[in-house]
Amino acid sequence: MTRAWVLAAAVQAACLLQAGPLRAAQADTSPALSGQVSSAKEGPMEGVVVSAKKTGSTITISVVSDEKGHFSFPASKIGPGEYALRIRAIGYDLEGPATVAVPREKAAAVDLKLRPVDDITTQMTPAEWIASVPGTEDEKKFLYNCTTCHTTERIVKSSHDANEFTKVLDRMRGYANSAWDFQPQRRLIPRGLQRNFGSDAPKISGYLASINLSKTGKLDYAMKTLPRPKGRATHVIYTEYDVPRPMTQPHDVILDESGTIWFSEFGEQFLGRMDPKTGEVKEFPIPTLRPKQPTGTLDLETDEEGNLWISLQNQGGIAKFDKKTGKFTMYPVPAEYLTDETQESMVGPQHLEVDGKVWLNDTSIPGLYRIDLKTGKWERWAPYKKQGSGGDELAMTEPHSVYGIYADAQNNIFFCDFGGENIGKIDVKGTVTLFPTPTRKSRPRRGRMDADGHLWFAEWRGDKLAMFDTKTEKFQEWPVPTPYMAPYDVVKDKNGELWSGGMNTDRILRKNLTSGENIEYLLPKPSNIRRVFIDNTTPRPTFWVGNNHGASVVKMETLD
């Protein structure tokens, strides 16, 4: 967080305290549109997500029905006009009506009738599929690798036998991380089988063929679904902003000190900017460094001055963005380090003011670089490789990958071993230290370093949220409440609560560390959650996330 951002937050908080009663009086919380959700099977239904999108608008507002099946859209969110309606409730679809007119200066009412769907499997999340299919925990959790790019439904409804799945796995390792249905980009050089599947590719192929349609033509196991939200999990309002193209993948979404939204585009060479008041989006083209390589960016960070830094993935390097001029300064990987497999997913500029140096990862090493911005000197670390007798780096014996990287106040860098189970540290002198997480095969992915030197991170495969105290070098871990959630990221808010998103569940987890309470908010539609962001300048923390496979940016405001 930048100094300017902290100052802005403090000023805004002070204004809110002074103007709180006035703002509360001015806010129009009266309902513009309300009604009840019910079905013949259940009667009034709690936990149904109801969404309304005005004709011609790029913004969708969603609320959730309470214990009496009642839902209400406040006038501050819904104006007069024609609205298309949709719902999300596992096992149900909207029977009618699908549209509603909201008049001027008068509240509209509509009761929604739901009907059971004929095929529940089309609505199931990856977590529900993984819970349903037979298999060991290791076999089930292999499916986490698949849901990064596509649904689990695609696997279980296929008819591939084991031999055919072997060919599928071989083809999959040739796709870029950003590949998906709308843009199946391929690498110049496929990743090794061990990197993607370990040494058990034949066993994996057999397992996948055992849970699909290849043997009997039907799925011979019961479908296990998650319950709908209830209680506090229904006290929420969502605002979803469409981005210009359906192929756009908003990956990292952050809010700057002026209240402007910025987002990285996972599969395209653009940096996105959005006005959260209007939903207007402007895109800034990022120079292409390697035309034959897959396009797209990932990590989006800020330095202490509020400058934006972005990782360039397969394009090989990082970039700094000047918000005033709209121009990029490019930092390509030097020729002596550059290979066809070079890939920068992360950038760590958080405390470059200490020594003028910026950290970045390279998944192909796997390891890190540090750039001296004044001299242009690059340094390189390969923490998981040993030196051979001739000075060459030896191949790794186990899967490892350097992913989320976070600088502390001294500009030491800490990193998540997404391929394994370590939190790593490289101090300013270049010394590497590895700290294994208490949970084996945890696969720590991303998180945030707080001002007290606590690294909060998500254990993607371990299904836990965790904290590493960089001063005491001790860990704490907290299991997530829903099996097979696959948390990607975690952040601690100003009230001391943790927020994370499940890549497999479409649910946002809010965890109170003092009481132990877990609240899970169901997003309005499938989302493939990645980076999460908390705006602490609002009276209650506001949650932001990109819908990576839904071409939208989502804001979530809790009501308590």
Side-chain angles (χ1 to χ4, degrees):
M1 183 176 287
T2 67
R3 293 190 181 97
W5 186 208
V6 172
L7 179 60
V11 171
Q12 185 169 348
C15 293
L16 287 169
L17 289 173
Q18 295 173 6
L22 176 61
R23 175 168 290 194
Q26 292 177 338
D28 191 352
T29 59
S30 59
L33 172 63
S34 61
Q36 187 182 62
V37 184
S38 64
S39 66
K41 181 179 179 180
E42 295 189 37
M45 297 175 64
E46 182 179 16
V48 176
V49 183
V50 181
S51 301
K53 186 174 186 179
K54 188 176 181 180
T55 301
S57 176
T58 61
I59 299 174
T60 302
I61 306 297
S62 302
V63 296
V64 186
S65 60
D66 63 18
E67 70 278 1
K68 296 181 180 179
H70 182 262
F71 66 90
S72 177
F73 291 87
S76 59
K77 299 290 185 180
I78 292 285
E82 294 284 334
Y83 287 83
L85 303 177
R86 72 168 193 260
I87 61 98
R88 187 175 195 182
I90 186 71
Y92 289 92
D93 202 353
L94 185 62
E95 185 173 35
T99 60
V100 64
V102 177
R104 293 186 181 277
E105 300 179 358
K106 183 180 178 182
V110 58
D111 289 337
L112 301 180
K113 302 295 183 180
L114 305 190
R115 58 173 177 79
V117 296
D118 296 328
D119 182 6
I120 199 173
T121 64
T122 62
Q123 298 180 339
M124 289 171 60
T125 62
E128 290 167 322
W129 276 113
I130 296 169
S132 301
V133 299
T136 66
E137 285 299 287
D138 280 345
E139 288 172 330
K140 284 170 172 273
K141 290 198 170 183
F142 168 78
L143 295 169
Y144 285 22
N145 299 285
C146 309
T147 58
T148 297
C149 300
H150 57 73
T151 65
T152 317
E153 182 183 9
R154 175 175 294 185
I155 298 169
V156 297
K157 290 188 177 180
S158 74
S159 299
H160 298 309
D161 62 20
N163 289 331
E164 290 169 332
F165 263 125
T166 298
K167 296 176 183 177
V168 170
L169 294 181
D170 187 61
R171 188 173 73 251
M172 290 299 105
R173 66 190 182 95
Y175 286 112
N177 292 65
S178 56
W180 71 308
D181 293 355
F182 284 100
Q183 196 178 22
Q185 299 191 80
R186 296 191 66 84
R187 301 177 181 277
L188 291 186
I189 296 180
R191 281 180 166 173
L193 275 174
Q194 175 154 349
R195 170 71 183 270
N196 276 37
F197 311 116
S199 59
D200 294 329
K203 291 176 62 176
I204 291 169
S205 299
Y207 172 65
L208 296 179
S210 75
I211 61 174
N212 74 348
L213 301 173
S214 62
K215 288 184 170 60
T216 65
K218 59 182 180 179
L219 302 177
D220 296 320
Y221 41 84
M223 300 303 157
K224 300 176 182 178
T225 60
L226 295 173
R228 295 196 304 271
K230 62 181 181 179
R232 293 184 68 189
T234 67
H235 303 168
V236 63
I237 297 177
Y238 303 95
T239 305
E240 188 170 14
Y241 305 85
D242 295 342
V243 295
R245 295 176 305 284
M247 68 183 293
T248 300
Q249 301 176 73
H251 198 285
D252 279 27
V253 174
I254 67 173
L255 188 74
D256 72 10
E257 65 278 2
S258 69
T260 299
I261 287 292
W262 298 88
F263 58 92
S264 60
E265 299 190 13
F266 197 31
E268 301 173 276
Q269 289 298 105
F270 295 101
L271 172 65
R273 184 187 71 191
M274 189 191 76
D275 183 342
K277 295 179 181 178
T278 65
E280 180 182 0
V281 173
K282 178 177 174 58
E283 295 177 300
F284 298 87
I286 302 172
T288 298
L289 298 178
R290 303 205 287 175
K292 294 182 180 180
Q293 289 281 353
T295 56
T297 63
L298 201 157
D299 190 16
L300 181 60
E301 302 287 345
T302 58
D303 61 26
E304 283 286 292
E305 300 302 322
N307 299 305
L308 296 177
W309 292 79
I310 192 165
S311 62
L312 302 177
Q313 288 274 79
N314 299 88
Q315 289 297 306
I318 58 175
K320 176 183 176 182
F321 181 72
D322 187 321
K323 290 186 285 187
K324 294 181 180 179
T325 65
K327 303 296 184 182
F328 292 91
T329 302
M330 310 298 286
Y331 298 92
V333 173
E336 63 265 33
Y337 295 141
L338 195 65
T339 72
D340 284 338
E341 298 176 89
T342 295
Q343 181 179 327
E344 277 63 51
S345 302
M346 300 290 156
V347 57
Q350 295 91 354
H351 289 288
L352 70 86
E353 80 285 350
V354 173
D355 52 15
K357 297 179 180 180
V358 173
W359 296 88
L360 61 154
N361 79 331
D362 189 331
T363 63
S364 70
I365 299 174
L368 298 95
Y369 300 114
R370 181 171 61 181
I371 313 172
D372 188 318
L373 298 181
K374 184 176 182 180
T375 66
K377 178 184 177 182
W378 284 62
E379 300 171 272
R380 178 183 182 275
W381 285 265
Y384 294 106
K385 293 183 178 179
K386 296 181 180 180
Q387 297 295 317
S389 57
D392 295 332
E393 292 176 352
L394 301 178
M396 300 182 301
T397 57
E398 296 179 347
H400 293 286
S401 176
V402 173
Y403 205 60
I405 63 174
Y406 309 97
D408 67 8
Q410 291 74 46
N411 211 21
N412 304 304
I413 199 72
F414 289 81
F415 59 89
C416 294
D417 175 13
F418 179 48
E421 58 199 31
N422 299 285
I423 295 298
K425 174 185 178 182
I426 303 177
D427 65 24
V428 293
K429 296 180 180 180
T431 303
V432 178
T433 310
L434 301 177
F435 304 92
T437 60
T439 298
R440 287 276 294 150
K441 299 181 180 180
S442 61
R443 300 195 66 181
R445 196 150 192 180
R446 293 185 71 180
R448 217 76 82 245
M449 179 78 73
D450 69 20
D452 297 319
H454 299 140
L455 175 58
W456 300 90
F457 63 97
E459 295 182 355
W460 183 70
R461 188 189 181 281
D463 281 316
K464 293 179 180 179
L465 308 182
M467 185 272 287
F468 178 69
D469 189 324
T470 62
K471 297 175 182 177
T472 65
E473 298 179 350
K474 302 293 184 184
F475 288 93
Q476 284 184 270
E477 295 178 324
W478 297 269
V480 298
T482 298
Y484 311 117
M485 174 183 173
Y488 177 93
D489 188 21
V490 65
V491 62
K492 185 181 180 183
D493 72 14
K494 63 183 179 182
N495 299 324
E497 293 188 307
L498 299 186
W499 296 82
S500 185
M503 281 187 71
N504 289 339
T505 60
D506 294 335
R507 294 179 187 236
I508 305 305
L509 172 61
R510 175 185 181 185
K511 184 174 186 64
N512 188 304
L513 295 178
T514 301
S515 68
E517 181 184 20
N518 294 305
I519 306 172
E520 290 187 287
Y521 304 93
L522 177 64
L523 291 180
K525 64 182 185 182
S527 304
N528 196 253
I529 298 167
R530 305 295 177 100
R531 165 88 174 265
V532 302
F533 186 88
I534 290 292
D535 176 11
N536 277 311
T537 67
T538 49
R540 281 186 292 270
T542 302
F543 180 95
W544 290 87
V545 72
N547 186 330
N548 191 58
H549 285 175
S552 64
V553 171
V554 183
K555 176 173 72 171
M556 188 182 84
E557 300 169 277
T558 62
L559 304 180
D560 59 12

